[in-house]
Amino acid sequence: MQLCIATVYSAPGTRPNPGGIPGKPDRRPGRHAPARHRKYGCPRPGHPAGWQGRSDAHREAAFLLYARIAGYGFRRHSTYRAAAVAGAFTNTVFGILRAYVLIALWQARPGLAGYDLADAVTFCFLSQAFIGPMQVFGGGLELSERVRSGDVALDLVRPASLQMWSLADDLGRAAYLLLLRSLPPTAVGAALFGLVAPAGPAACLSFAAGLVLGVVVSFALRYLVALSACWMVDDRGVQSLSLVTTLFFSGMVLPLNLFPGWLGTLAEALPWSAMVQVPADLYLGKRDALEALGFQLAWAVALLALGALATGAARRKVVIQGG
């Protein structure tokens, strides 16, 4: 019989266990980190910068991903130029009609709701310009159609967030419609009626921030409505209810300052006012910028958080018609 004797060598940073088990990690200060930290790219003990570098890289990759999706959304919606031009023409015509109605109203009641005649006409064309970017009449998201077709199953298993993916695409859509559907009615209104200009650079910046936050609030509301298709066979009732509440409480039909008593207070506190009324007031300088932007930001965060919870629930229970 041949007797073989093996000698066990410990890897650097390890020492034999007193019980005879080799390779036990050495926890004594000053020793090398265990091999598993180096194998999986983890930082050494006492060096959290490795984790920070990995998280920074992940955030940068996510930002680039969503920026690219927003660019794709802009390009995808830019293929429908004829529809955008027709929408701009329609918004311009209805803006002129609404402007004459408001002119008659403000001539009979000067200073109504704290607006003069120029402010009222400017509010009219601003609200017309918001129709496209804010998607005031609903829609703009393909989520409900993807639920009915069953394609949402692929969306829910993507490594990227479904809500953030949809938000990035919607921001691209809003940017395109802002250029092609919002600027023409505003330019025509300025040429025919002479609209009010912002008070200065600070007002322009606050208006731009309010416009972006208004788009985010609009998306968050439409996302919740579209996601309701996961629990309902037909979501057209929810879509119709959303259309009515958006038109009435956003300031699209009339400025919310005209609503009497508790109804006006309630309308200004609801999230729909962040879509039309608040950005228009920021443009006209009728509201404190920090208070208005804080109001929009609070609703945007709350609605996006609710959308994230609803998305998590949709992963566990999805009803797909025909899927």
Side-chain angles (χ1 to χ4, degrees), residues 169-200:
D169 180 77
D170 197 64
L171 289 176
R173 175 205 58 81
Y176 172 73
L177 293 182
L178 178 67
L179 295 177
L180 210 62
R181 285 193 60 174
S182 299
L183 294 183
T186 307
V188 172
L192 294 179
F193 301 97
L195 305 183
V196 176

Side-chain angles (χ1 to χ4, degrees), residues 131 135-139 221-222 225 235-250 252-253 272 275:
I131 291 177
Q135 206 70 31
V136 175
F137 293 100
L221 289 169
R222 288 180 288 115
V225 172
D235 64 329
R236 285 179 294 181
V238 180
Q239 297 279 0
S240 300
L241 179 62
S242 174
L243 172 61
V244 173
T245 53
T246 301
L247 290 176
F248 189 76
F249 289 113
S250 67
M252 184 65 214
V253 178
W272 292 278
M275 297 169 54

Side-chain angles (χ1 to χ4, degrees), residues 54-73:
R54 289 166 63 88
S55 60
D56 290 343
H58 291 164
R59 283 194 294 266
E60 181 180 358
F63 175 79
L64 293 177
L65 170 65
Y66 295 131
R68 181 168 295 182
I69 294 170
Y72 288 157

